[in-house]
Amino acid sequence: MTLWNGELPFYPQPRHPPGFSVPLLIVILVFLALAASFLLILPGIRGQSRWFWLVRVLLSLFIGAEIVAVHFSAQWSVGGMNTNTSYKAFSAARVSANVGLHVGLEGINITLKGTPVQQLNETIDYNEHFNWRLGENYAEEYSKALEKGLPDPVLYLAEKFTPSSPCGLYRQYRLAGHYASATLWVAFCFWLLSNALLSMPVPLYGGLALLTTGAFTLFSIFAFASISSVPLCPLRLGSSTLTTHYGAAFWVTLATGILCLLLGGAVVSLHYSRPGALRTFLDRSVKDYGNQAKGSLPLILNNPLHKQFGALDFTISTNL
């Protein structure tokens, strides 16, 4: 570590990219392990039902993984800009950098990367995460950031989300994140229920559970989108203004909710219009097995000793 103007570097800790999240990585690995386990047993399924089960299981795993993974993603609302701004307090030094803001359901990520990275005799590449999940104190984390002496752009954006800020961003995003997270967990429970019901001879209830899954997934979208109706204070750094837009997690969750509604609506519609076709479709593996058994040649067992010795007749008599 080198000194800059007689002061220690700001950031002695190891840095991680903004998308890196250990819980998110664990969720992805768990669902990938489930998918890999199913693919290993897939060759043991005979006939055309193999492809039916492939689509059904992988699609269901995708829905479940998406509902859980977006809880730990910081890509619900994102923004970035290139600007020339002051680097730290009590100094006239300015840096040219890219500033990024990534908002999730449980907190925000603020990134600062110099263009070029090496400026003012040090590496300008920062990534800070501030939590507002239940049990976490955002104001305390902001105080620790002040003690570490983080760069001005990071502290400026983090201060806009503090509870005492007149912008009100903390209350808006925190409440929206809590409501969205709660409805997503309810959607996950109904996803588990739909998988269980669709594996039983009650497809109507499975379809209704899938519809409910899609409805609560969309409720989480509406809860988070409610912040767009509230005017936000401008985030100005240097001569530029940072604006945010919905990120990948928001749009993928929206697509998943619509997909659940379409699949659940299809199951319910087929139950009332063509119940026989729906039952055949869901029990396709049984049908394929029956077709194979019906189309196969009869099994004939021939005993060569039967012709050599002839048939033996046994007579049993009982005297009372």
Side-chain angles (χ1 to χ4, degrees):
M1 295 184 184
T2 60
L3 297 178
W4 189 80
N5 283 357
E7 298 180 18
L8 288 174
F10 298 132
Y11 207 103
Q13 297 90 348
R15 307 165 189 174
H16 303 290
F20 180 85
S21 172
V22 174
L24 177 61
L25 182 61
I26 292 175
V27 170
I28 294 176
L29 290 178
V30 167
F31 279 90
L32 284 179
L34 293 175
S37 301
F38 172 74
L39 292 177
L40 288 177
I41 66 174
L42 185 64
I45 303 177
R46 298 180 179 180
Q48 297 180 354
S49 61
R50 175 185 305 172
W51 309 112
F52 164 75
W53 282 106
L54 175 66
V55 175
R56 179 177 176 180
V57 172
L58 292 185
L59 191 61
S60 178
L61 287 177
F62 167 77
I63 294 173
E66 192 280 334
I67 292 175
V68 178
V70 292
H71 283 88
F72 311 104
S73 174
Q75 297 295 317
W76 280 81
S77 181
V78 297
M81 65 176 180
N82 293 308
T83 184
N84 186 277
T85 180
S86 61
Y87 185 51
K88 68 173 188 175
F90 311 110
S91 174
R94 301 180 70 86
V95 295
S96 177
N98 178 271
V99 182
L101 176 64
H102 309 265
V103 183
L105 301 183
E106 298 183 339
I108 61 173
N109 263 97
I110 302 173
T111 60
L112 176 68
K113 187 171 184 179
T115 53
V117 176
Q118 295 292 336
Q119 297 183 54
L120 302 178
N121 197 29
E122 71 170 282
T123 301
I124 302 176
D125 189 6
Y126 296 87
N127 173 38
E128 285 292 329
H129 187 73
F130 300 88
N131 291 315
W132 54 51
R133 69 167 68 98
L134 295 176
E136 300 285 347
N137 191 330
Y138 184 95
E140 182 179 347
E141 293 191 7
Y142 175 70
S143 298
K144 292 180 180 178
L146 288 174
E147 295 174 0
K148 289 197 299 184
L150 294 178
D152 269 0
V154 175
L155 294 176
Y156 170 79
L157 292 178
E159 189 274 335
K160 292 294 184 180
F161 286 86
T162 55
S164 59
S165 173
C167 288
L169 297 178
Y170 175 81
R171 182 175 181 275
Q172 296 169 18
Y173 278 96
R174 183 174 180 269
L175 288 179
H178 284 174
Y179 283 121
S181 179
T183 52
L184 280 174
W185 283 122
V186 176
F188 179 73
C189 294
F190 276 100
W191 170 78
L192 293 175
L193 182 62
S194 67
N195 281 279
L197 294 175
L198 287 175
S199 301
M200 303 177 183
V202 283
L204 174 62
Y205 300 106
L208 293 176
L210 202 54
L211 281 174
T212 309
T213 302
F216 276 99
T217 304
L218 294 181
F219 288 159
S220 68
I221 291 293
F222 298 147
F224 191 83
S226 63
I227 60 176
S228 62
S229 61
V230 181
L232 304 179
C233 62
L235 304 175
R236 301 188 64 87
L237 288 169
S239 59
S240 304
T241 302
L242 189 148
T243 58
T244 60
H245 58 274
Y246 296 127
F250 180 91
W251 296 113
V252 173
T253 305
L254 177 62
T256 303
I258 296 175
L259 177 63
C260 291
L261 290 181
L262 292 176
L263 293 176
V267 172
V268 174
S269 299
L270 286 175
H271 173 79
Y272 288 107
S273 61
R274 301 184 63 184
L278 177 62
R279 190 178 301 108
T280 301
F281 179 75
L282 293 178
D283 299 335
R284 191 166 183 176
S285 60
V286 178
K287 180 181 177 182
D288 288 347
Y289 180 80
N291 290 338
Q292 290 178 3
K294 183 178 180 180
S296 59
L297 295 176
L299 181 63
I300 300 176
L301 300 178
N302 189 11
N303 186 1
L305 298 179
H306 178 74
K307 293 183 179 179
Q308 181 177 356
F309 297 100
L312 299 179
D313 295 332
F314 294 92
T315 302
I316 300 176
S317 59
T318 304
N319 297 325
L320 297 179

